[in-house]
Amino acid sequence: MSQIREPDAVMRYWPNAERPVERLIQHGAAALSDAELLAVMLRSGTKTDSAVDVARKALTNSGGLTGILTAPESSGFSADAVARLGASMEIARRVLREQMSRENCLQSPRAVRDYLLLLLSGKPREEFVALFLDAQHRVIASETLFAGTLTQTSVYPREVVKAALRNNAAAVIFAHNHPSGVAEPSGADELLTRTLKSALALVDVQVLDHFIVAGDSAMPFAERGLL
């Protein structure tokens, strides 16, 4: 992809109402397409392509937003643009983590899903994450406890119990990703959840949920009646 340069020689001739920044100001971020949102972050295009055109090509080459956000260095963007994307992702994660530390997670399930998607979606190998909660079900800490291969992760209940005690947790929400892109629990996933629930019950820590993250989906065990 061509080097990104300032200024955007193409977009400056667009009518104001069609420029992504102006559209964002007037209508809000939700009104913009994926390409327009990326264009706002890129801030500039090339000599022949607008920032929106550059963003569209990157989305096509990367297979969508998930591909760009999980591997921005492969998108063809400049190092500066990749840094801005990474910073935006981390800001979003921190905002959601702050929200979960102030609110009962059972009353803000959307924040939990969004946080886990930002944390695990697009990861090339399986990772097992725990959100440790206080007695009011507010997040105390978020930890990646185990990491594995493309298809499996070894999870040790004893280490999970130790982590829960170390964080003085009253409850916990688990999550792991399926790099295959299929957000369906396996028999092993269900057995692991039951095992962890039993182990943590011995130290009075409640398992509230276990999410499987795959692509842009986060499937909760609780909704399936699997807890």
Side-chain angles (χ1 to χ4, degrees):
M1 189 172 293
S2 303
Q3 181 75 23
I4 294 195
R5 303 171 183 171
E6 296 279 5
D8 192 325
V10 178
M11 200 181 297
R12 65 182 177 181
Y13 295 110
W14 290 15
N16 285 341
E18 296 180 13
R19 297 181 186 179
V21 172
E22 281 74 10
R23 278 174 37 75
L24 186 150
I25 292 170
Q26 291 184 16
H27 306 292
L32 273 62
S33 66
D34 292 349
E36 288 173 324
L37 286 170
L38 281 174
V40 171
M41 297 181 63
L42 290 173
R43 299 189 300 202
S44 62
T46 67
K47 198 169 184 178
T48 57
D49 290 328
S50 70
V52 174
D53 294 327
V54 171
R56 285 183 183 136
K57 290 177 182 178
L59 286 166
T60 299
N61 294 336
S62 301
L65 274 178
T66 298
I68 288 177
L69 296 178
T70 55
E73 65 281 351
S74 302
S75 64
F77 293 152
S78 67
D80 185 53
V82 169
R84 287 198 296 273
L85 283 169
S88 297
M89 287 282 287
E90 183 58 27
I91 288 171
R93 281 191 288 264
R94 293 185 186 189
V95 167
L96 289 169
R97 195 160 60 232
E98 284 183 8
Q99 180 181 345
M100 293 187 299
S101 71
R102 294 192 302 266
E103 301 176 4
N104 184 323
C105 282
L106 297 182
Q107 296 176 357
S108 55
R110 179 63 181 272
V112 175
R113 286 178 190 246
D114 288 348
Y115 175 76
L116 293 173
L117 282 168
L118 283 170
L119 194 65
L120 291 171
S121 183
K123 293 278 189 177
R125 59 179 184 168
E126 280 201 9
E127 296 185 12
F128 186 87
V129 171
L131 302 181
F132 297 107
L133 315 175
D134 64 15
Q136 284 73 47
H137 295 161
R138 298 171 301 197
V139 170
I140 301 168
S142 170
E143 294 186 21
T144 299
L145 298 179
F146 308 100
T149 66
L150 183 65
T151 56
Q152 64 180 1
T153 302
S154 295
V155 176
Y156 301 98
R158 179 181 178 182
E159 296 303 316
V160 175
V161 171
K162 286 169 62 177
L165 293 174
R166 184 176 66 249
N167 285 288
N168 197 29
V172 64
I173 294 173
F174 296 121
H176 75 279
N177 59 310
H178 281 181
S180 65
V182 179
E184 287 294 327
S186 65
D189 293 333
E190 294 183 35
L191 176 59
L192 172 63
T193 304
R194 290 195 297 270
T195 301
L196 291 173
K197 184 176 180 180
S198 297
L200 287 164
L202 296 175
V203 292
D204 294 323
V205 177
Q206 183 183 9
V207 176
L208 298 182
D209 214 335
H210 185 170
F211 286 82
I212 294 178
V213 175
D216 58 359
S217 299
M219 193 286 293
F221 277 47
E223 283 187 7
R224 297 283 189 91
L226 297 177
L227 283 177

